[in-house]
Amino acid sequence: MASAQLSDCAPLVSAAKSLLRTPFDAMREHYAAAVRAGLVERSLLASARFERKLGALERTALGLWARRV
């Protein structure tokens, strides 16, 4: 019975994770748009630094619910 209840929660957990990750996805999209607009330098090093800092922020804010690569 307990396993049936856990499987019923899977869609809810997935939706919650998606909702919590939305601000971080928006920051990535804004960074990409700024690069396309020429407001931020087009650089692999700068992009990697941004992603590393944002990834650390996401892991700090979301803990176990953060993405893992």
Coordinates of all heavy atoms in Angstrom, one line a residue:
M1 N 0.8 -1.2 0.0 CA 0.0 0.0 0.0 C 0.9 1.3 0.0 O 0.5 2.2 -0.7 CB -0.9 0.0 1.2 CG -1.8 1.2 1.3 SD -3.3 0.8 2.1 CE -3.9 2.4 2.4
A2 N 2.0 1.3 0.7 CA 2.8 2.4 0.8 C 3.5 2.7 -0.5 O 3.6 3.9 -0.9 CB 3.9 2.2 1.9
S3 N 3.9 1.7 -1.3 CA 4.5 1.9 -2.6 C 3.5 2.5 -3.6 O 3.8 3.3 -4.5 CB 5.1 0.6 -3.1 OG 4.1 -0.3 -3.4
A4 N 2.2 2.1 -3.5 CA 1.2 2.7 -4.3 C 1.0 4.2 -4.1 O 0.8 5.0 -5.0 CB -0.1 2.0 -4.2
Q5 N 1.1 4.6 -2.8 CA 1.0 6.0 -2.4 C 2.2 6.8 -3.0 O 2.0 7.9 -3.4 CB 0.8 6.1 -0.9 CG -0.5 5.6 -0.4 CD -0.6 5.7 1.1 OE1 0.4 5.9 1.8 NE2 -1.8 5.5 1.6
L6 N 3.4 6.2 -2.9 CA 4.6 6.9 -3.4 C 4.5 7.1 -4.9 O 4.9 8.2 -5.4 CB 5.8 6.1 -3.0 CG 6.2 6.1 -1.5 CD1 7.4 5.3 -1.3 CD2 6.4 7.6 -1.0
S7 N 4.0 6.1 -5.6 CA 4.0 6.2 -7.1 C 2.9 7.3 -7.5 O 3.0 7.9 -8.5 CB 3.7 4.9 -7.7 OG 2.4 4.4 -7.3
D8 N 1.9 7.4 -6.6 CA 0.9 8.4 -6.9 C 1.4 9.8 -6.8 O 0.9 10.8 -7.4 CB -0.3 8.3 -6.0 CG -1.1 7.0 -6.2 OD1 -1.0 6.4 -7.4 OD2 -1.9 6.6 -5.4
C9 N 2.5 10.0 -6.0 CA 3.1 11.3 -5.7 C 4.1 11.7 -6.8 O 4.5 12.9 -6.8 CB 3.8 11.3 -4.4 SG 2.6 11.2 -3.0
A10 N 4.5 10.8 -7.6 CA 5.6 11.1 -8.6 C 5.2 12.2 -9.5 O 6.1 13.1 -9.7 CB 5.9 9.8 -9.4
P11 N 4.0 12.3 -10.1 CA 3.7 13.5 -10.9 C 3.8 14.8 -10.2 O 4.2 15.8 -10.7 CB 2.3 13.2 -11.5 CG 2.2 11.7 -11.3 CD 3.0 11.3 -10.1
L12 N 3.3 14.8 -8.9 CA 3.4 16.0 -8.1 C 4.8 16.4 -7.8 O 5.1 17.6 -7.9 CB 2.6 15.7 -6.8 CG 2.5 16.9 -5.9 CD1 1.8 18.1 -6.5 CD2 1.8 16.5 -4.6
V13 N 5.6 15.5 -7.5 CA 7.1 15.8 -7.2 C 7.7 16.3 -8.5 O 8.5 17.3 -8.4 CB 7.8 14.6 -6.7 CG1 9.3 14.8 -6.7 CG2 7.3 14.2 -5.3
S14 N 7.4 15.7 -9.6 CA 8.0 16.2 -10.9 C 7.6 17.6 -11.2 O 8.4 18.5 -11.6 CB 7.6 15.3 -12.0 OG 8.1 15.7 -13.2
A15 N 6.3 17.9 -11.0 CA 5.8 19.3 -11.2 C 6.4 20.3 -10.3 O 6.7 21.4 -10.7 CB 4.3 19.3 -11.1
A16 N 6.6 19.9 -9.0 CA 7.2 20.8 -8.0 C 8.6 21.1 -8.4 O 9.1 22.3 -8.3 CB 7.1 20.2 -6.6
K17 N 9.4 20.1 -8.8 CA 10.8 20.3 -9.2 C 10.8 21.3 -10.4 O 11.6 22.2 -10.5 CB 11.4 19.0 -9.6 CG 11.8 18.2 -8.4 CD 12.5 16.9 -8.9 CE 12.9 16.0 -7.8 NZ 13.6 14.8 -8.3
S18 N 9.9 21.1 -11.4 CA 9.9 21.9 -12.6 C 9.6 23.4 -12.2 O 10.2 24.3 -12.7 CB 8.9 21.4 -13.5 OG 8.8 22.2 -14.7
L19 N 8.7 23.5 -11.3 CA 8.3 24.9 -10.8 C 9.5 25.6 -10.1 O 9.7 26.7 -10.3 CB 7.1 24.8 -9.9 CG 6.5 26.1 -9.4 CD1 6.0 27.0 -10.6 CD2 5.4 25.9 -8.4
L20 N 10.2 24.8 -9.3 CA 11.3 25.4 -8.5 C 12.5 25.7 -9.4 O 13.2 26.6 -9.1 CB 11.7 24.4 -7.4 CG 10.7 24.3 -6.2 CD1 11.2 23.1 -5.3 CD2 10.6 25.6 -5.5
R21 N 12.6 25.0 -10.5 CA 13.7 25.2 -11.4 C 13.5 26.4 -12.4 O 14.4 26.9 -13.0 CB 14.0 24.0 -12.2 CG 14.6 22.9 -11.3 CD 14.7 21.6 -12.1 NE 15.2 20.5 -11.2 CZ 15.2 19.2 -11.6 NH1 14.6 18.9 -12.7 NH2 15.8 18.4 -10.8
T22 N 12.3 26.8 -12.5 CA 11.9 27.9 -13.5 C 12.7 29.1 -13.4 O 13.2 29.7 -14.4 CB 10.4 28.2 -13.4 OG1 9.7 27.0 -13.6 CG2 10.0 29.2 -14.3
P23 N 12.9 29.7 -12.2 CA 13.7 30.9 -12.1 C 15.2 30.8 -12.6 O 15.7 31.7 -13.3 CB 13.8 31.3 -10.6 CG 12.7 30.5 -10.0 CD 12.4 29.3 -10.9
F24 N 15.7 29.6 -12.4 CA 17.1 29.3 -12.9 C 17.1 29.2 -14.4 O 18.0 29.7 -15.1 CB 17.7 28.1 -12.2 CG 17.7 28.3 -10.7 CD1 16.8 27.8 -9.9 CD2 18.7 29.1 -10.1 CE1 16.8 28.0 -8.5 CE2 18.8 29.3 -8.7 CZ 17.8 28.7 -7.9
D25 N 16.1 28.6 -15.0 CA 16.0 28.5 -16.4 C 15.8 29.9 -17.0 O 16.4 30.2 -18.1 CB 14.8 27.6 -16.8 CG 15.1 26.1 -16.5 OD1 16.3 25.7 -16.3 OD2 14.1 25.3 -16.4
A26 N 15.0 30.7 -16.4 CA 14.8 32.1 -16.8 C 16.1 32.9 -16.8 O 16.4 33.6 -17.8 CB 13.8 32.8 -16.0
M27 N 16.9 32.7 -15.8 CA 18.2 33.4 -15.7 C 19.1 32.9 -16.9 O 19.8 33.7 -17.5 CB 18.9 33.1 -14.4 CG 18.3 34.0 -13.3 SD 19.2 33.8 -11.7 CE 18.2 32.6 -10.9
R28 N 19.1 31.6 -17.2 CA 19.9 31.1 -18.3 C 19.4 31.7 -19.6 O 20.2 32.1 -20.5 CB 19.9 29.6 -18.3 CG 20.6 28.9 -17.2 CD 20.5 27.4 -17.3 NE 21.3 26.8 -16.2 CZ 20.9 26.4 -15.0 NH1 19.6 26.6 -14.7 NH2 21.7 25.9 -14.1
E29 N 18.1 31.8 -19.8 CA 17.6 32.3 -21.0 C 17.9 33.8 -21.1 O 18.2 34.3 -22.2 CB 16.1 32.1 -21.1 CG 15.4 32.6 -22.3 CD 16.0 32.1 -23.6 OE1 16.3 30.9 -23.6 OE2 16.1 32.9 -24.6
H30 N 17.8 34.6 -20.0 CA 18.2 36.0 -20.1 C 19.7 36.2 -20.4 O 20.0 37.1 -21.2 CB 17.8 36.7 -18.8 CG 16.4 36.9 -18.6 ND1 15.5 37.3 -19.5 CD2 15.6 36.8 -17.5 CE1 14.3 37.4 -19.1 NE2 14.3 37.1 -17.8
Y31 N 20.5 35.3 -19.9 CA 21.9 35.4 -20.2 C 22.2 35.2 -21.7 O 22.9 35.9 -22.3 CB 22.7 34.4 -19.4 CG 24.2 34.5 -19.6 CD1 25.0 35.5 -19.0 CD2 24.8 33.6 -20.5 CE1 26.4 35.5 -19.3 CE2 26.2 33.7 -20.8 CZ 27.0 34.7 -20.1 OH 28.3 34.7 -20.4
A32 N 21.5 34.1 -22.2 CA 21.6 33.8 -23.7 C 21.1 35.0 -24.5 O 21.7 35.3 -25.5 CB 20.9 32.6 -24.0
A33 N 20.0 35.6 -24.1 CA 19.5 36.7 -24.9 C 20.4 37.9 -24.8 O 20.6 38.6 -25.8 CB 18.1 37.1 -24.3
A34 N 21.0 38.1 -23.7 CA 22.0 39.3 -23.5 C 23.2 39.0 -24.4 O 23.7 40.0 -25.0 CB 22.4 39.4 -22.1
V35 N 23.7 37.8 -24.5 CA 24.8 37.5 -25.4 C 24.4 37.7 -26.9 O 25.1 38.3 -27.6 CB 25.2 36.0 -25.2 CG1 26.2 35.6 -26.3 CG2 25.9 35.8 -23.9
R36 N 23.2 37.2 -27.3 CA 22.7 37.4 -28.6 C 22.6 38.9 -29.0 O 22.8 39.3 -30.1 CB 21.4 36.7 -28.9 CG 21.5 35.2 -29.0 CD 20.2 34.6 -29.5 NE 19.1 34.8 -28.6 CZ 18.8 34.0 -27.6 NH1 19.5 32.9 -27.3 NH2 17.8 34.2 -26.8
A37 N 22.2 39.7 -28.0 CA 22.0 41.2 -28.2 C 23.3 41.9 -28.2 O 23.3 43.1 -28.5 CB 21.0 41.7 -27.1
G38 N 24.4 41.3 -27.8 CA 25.7 41.9 -27.7 C 25.9 42.7 -26.4 O 26.9 43.4 -26.3
L39 N 25.1 42.5 -25.4 CA 25.3 43.1 -24.1 C 26.3 42.4 -23.3 O 26.9 43.1 -22.4 CB 23.9 43.2 -23.4 CG 22.8 44.0 -24.1 CD1 21.5 43.8 -23.4 CD2 23.2 45.4 -24.3
V40 N 26.5 41.2 -23.5 CA 27.5 40.4 -22.8 C 28.4 39.7 -23.8 O 27.9 39.3 -24.9 CB 26.8 39.2 -22.0 CG1 27.8 38.4 -21.3 CG2 25.8 39.8 -21.0
E41 N 29.7 39.7 -23.5 CA 30.7 39.2 -24.5 C 30.4 37.7 -24.8 O 29.9 36.9 -24.0 CB 32.1 39.3 -23.9 CG 32.4 38.4 -22.8 CD 33.8 38.5 -22.3 OE1 34.7 38.6 -23.2 OE2 34.0 38.4 -21.1
R42 N 30.6 37.4 -26.1 CA 30.4 36.0 -26.5 C 31.7 35.2 -26.2 O 32.6 35.4 -27.0 CB 30.1 36.0 -28.0 CG 29.6 34.7 -28.6 CD 29.3 34.8 -30.0 NE 28.2 35.6 -30.3 CZ 26.9 35.2 -30.5 NH1 26.7 33.9 -30.5 NH2 25.9 36.0 -30.6
S43 N 31.7 34.5 -25.1 CA 32.9 33.8 -24.7 C 32.5 32.5 -24.0 O 31.7 32.5 -23.2 CB 33.7 34.8 -23.7 OG 34.6 34.0 -23.0
L44 N 33.3 31.5 -24.4 CA 33.0 30.2 -23.8 C 33.4 30.2 -22.3 O 32.8 29.6 -21.4 CB 33.8 29.1 -24.5 CG 33.3 28.7 -25.9 CD1 34.2 27.7 -26.5 CD2 31.9 28.1 -25.8
L45 N 34.5 31.0 -22.0 CA 35.0 31.1 -20.6 C 33.9 31.8 -19.8 O 33.6 31.4 -18.6 CB 36.3 31.8 -20.5 CG 37.5 30.9 -21.1 CD1 38.8 31.8 -21.1 CD2 37.7 29.7 -20.3
A46 N 33.4 32.9 -20.3 CA 32.4 33.7 -19.5 C 31.1 32.9 -19.4 O 30.5 32.9 -18.3 CB 32.1 35.0 -20.3
S47 N 30.8 32.2 -20.4 CA 29.6 31.3 -20.3 C 29.8 30.2 -19.3 O 28.8 29.9 -18.5 CB 29.3 30.7 -21.7 OG 28.2 29.8 -21.6
A48 N 30.9 29.6 -19.2 CA 31.2 28.5 -18.3 C 31.2 29.1 -16.8 O 30.7 28.5 -15.9 CB 32.6 27.9 -18.6
R49 N 31.8 30.3 -16.7 CA 31.8 30.9 -15.3 C 30.3 31.2 -14.9 O 30.0 31.0 -13.7 CB 32.6 32.2 -15.3 CG 34.0 32.0 -15.1 CD 34.7 33.4 -14.9 NE 34.5 34.2 -16.1 CZ 35.5 34.4 -17.0 NH1 36.7 34.1 -16.9 NH2 35.2 35.1 -18.1
F50 N 29.5 31.8 -15.8 CA 28.1 32.0 -15.5 C 27.4 30.8 -15.1 O 26.7 30.7 -14.0 CB 27.4 32.7 -16.7 CG 25.9 32.8 -16.5 CD1 25.4 33.9 -15.7 CD2 25.1 31.9 -17.0 CE1 24.1 34.0 -15.5 CE2 23.7 32.1 -16.9 CZ 23.2 33.1 -16.1
E51 N 27.6 29.7 -15.8 CA 26.9 28.4 -15.6 C 27.3 27.8 -14.3 O 26.5 27.3 -13.5 CB 27.1 27.5 -16.7 CG 26.3 26.2 -16.5 CD 24.8 26.3 -16.4 OE1 24.2 27.2 -17.0 OE2 24.3 25.6 -15.5
R52 N 28.6 27.9 -14.0 CA 29.2 27.4 -12.7 C 28.6 28.1 -11.5 O 28.1 27.5 -10.5 CB 30.7 27.5 -12.7 CG 31.3 26.7 -11.6 CD 32.9 26.6 -11.7 NE 33.5 27.8 -12.2 CZ 34.1 28.0 -13.4 NH1 34.1 27.0 -14.2 NH2 34.7 29.1 -13.7
K53 N 28.5 29.5 -11.6 CA 28.0 30.3 -10.5 C 26.5 30.0 -10.3 O 25.9 29.9 -9.2 CB 28.2 31.7 -10.7 CG 29.7 32.1 -10.5 CD 29.9 33.6 -10.8 CE 31.4 33.9 -10.7 NZ 31.6 35.3 -11.1
L54 N 25.7 30.0 -11.5 CA 24.3 29.7 -11.4 C 24.0 28.3 -10.9 O 23.1 28.1 -10.1 CB 23.7 30.0 -12.8 CG 22.1 29.9 -12.8 CD1 21.5 30.9 -11.8 CD2 21.6 30.1 -14.2
G55 N 24.8 27.3 -11.3 CA 24.6 26.0 -10.9 C 24.8 25.9 -9.4 O 24.1 25.2 -8.7
A56 N 25.9 26.6 -8.8 CA 26.1 26.6 -7.4 C 24.9 27.2 -6.7 O 24.5 26.7 -5.6 CB 27.4 27.3 -7.1
L57 N 24.4 28.3 -7.2 CA 23.3 29.0 -6.6 C 22.0 28.0 -6.6 O 21.3 27.9 -5.6 CB 22.9 30.3 -7.3 CG 21.8 31.1 -6.8 CD1 22.0 31.5 -5.4 CD2 21.5 32.3 -7.7
E58 N 21.8 27.4 -7.7 CA 20.7 26.4 -7.8 C 20.8 25.3 -6.8 O 19.9 24.9 -6.1 CB 20.6 25.9 -9.2 CG 19.4 25.0 -9.4 CD 19.3 24.5 -10.9 OE1 20.1 24.9 -11.7 OE2 18.3 23.9 -11.1
R59 N 22.1 24.7 -6.6 CA 22.3 23.7 -5.7 C 22.1 24.1 -4.2 O 21.5 23.4 -3.4 CB 23.7 23.0 -5.9 CG 23.8 22.1 -7.1 CD 25.1 21.4 -7.1 NE 26.2 22.3 -7.2 CZ 26.7 22.9 -8.3 NH1 26.0 22.7 -9.5 NH2 27.7 23.7 -8.3
T60 N 22.5 25.4 -4.0 CA 22.4 25.9 -2.6 C 20.9 26.2 -2.3 O 20.4 25.9 -1.2 CB 23.1 27.3 -2.5 OG1 24.5 27.0 -2.8 CG2 23.0 27.9 -1.1
A61 N 20.2 26.7 -3.3 CA 18.8 27.1 -3.0 C 17.9 25.8 -3.0 O 16.9 25.8 -2.2 CB 18.3 28.0 -4.1
L62 N 18.1 24.9 -3.9 CA 17.2 23.7 -4.0 C 17.7 22.5 -3.3 O 16.9 21.5 -3.2 CB 16.9 23.4 -5.5 CG 16.3 24.6 -6.3 CD1 16.0 24.1 -7.7 CD2 15.0 25.1 -5.6
G63 N 18.9 22.4 -2.9 CA 19.4 21.3 -2.2 C 19.3 20.0 -3.0 O 19.7 19.9 -4.2
L64 N 18.7 19.0 -2.5 CA 18.5 17.7 -3.1 C 17.6 17.8 -4.4 O 17.7 16.8 -5.2 CB 17.9 16.6 -2.2 CG 18.9 16.3 -1.0 CD1 18.1 15.3 -0.1 CD2 20.1 15.7 -1.5
W65 N 16.8 18.8 -4.5 CA 16.0 18.9 -5.7 C 16.7 19.6 -6.9 O 16.1 19.7 -7.9 CB 14.7 19.7 -5.3 CG 13.7 18.8 -4.5 CD1 14.1 17.7 -3.7 CD2 12.3 18.9 -4.4 NE1 12.9 17.2 -3.2 CE2 11.9 17.9 -3.6 CE3 11.4 19.8 -5.0 CZ2 10.5 17.8 -3.3 CZ3 10.1 19.7 -4.7 CH2 9.6 18.7 -3.9
A66 N 17.9 20.0 -6.7 CA 18.6 20.7 -7.8 C 19.0 19.6 -8.8 O 19.1 18.4 -8.6 CB 19.9 21.3 -7.3
R67 N 19.2 20.1 -10.0 CA 19.6 19.2 -11.1 C 21.0 18.7 -10.9 O 21.8 19.3 -10.3 CB 19.7 20.0 -12.4 CG 18.3 20.2 -13.0 CD 18.4 21.0 -14.3 NE 18.1 22.3 -13.9 CZ 17.1 23.0 -14.5 NH1 16.6 22.6 -15.6 NH2 16.8 24.2 -14.1
R68 N 21.2 17.5 -11.3 CA 22.6 16.8 -11.2 C 23.0 16.5 -12.6 O 22.2 15.9 -13.4 CB 22.5 15.6 -10.4 CG 22.0 15.8 -9.0 CD 23.1 16.2 -8.0 NE 22.7 16.1 -6.6 CZ 22.4 17.2 -5.9 NH1 22.4 18.4 -6.5 NH2 22.0 17.1 -4.7
V69 N 24.2 16.7 -12.9 CA 24.7 16.4 -14.3 C 25.9 15.4 -14.1 O 26.6 15.4 -13.2 CB 25.2 17.6 -15.1 CG1 25.7 17.2 -16.4 CG2 24.0 18.6 -15.2

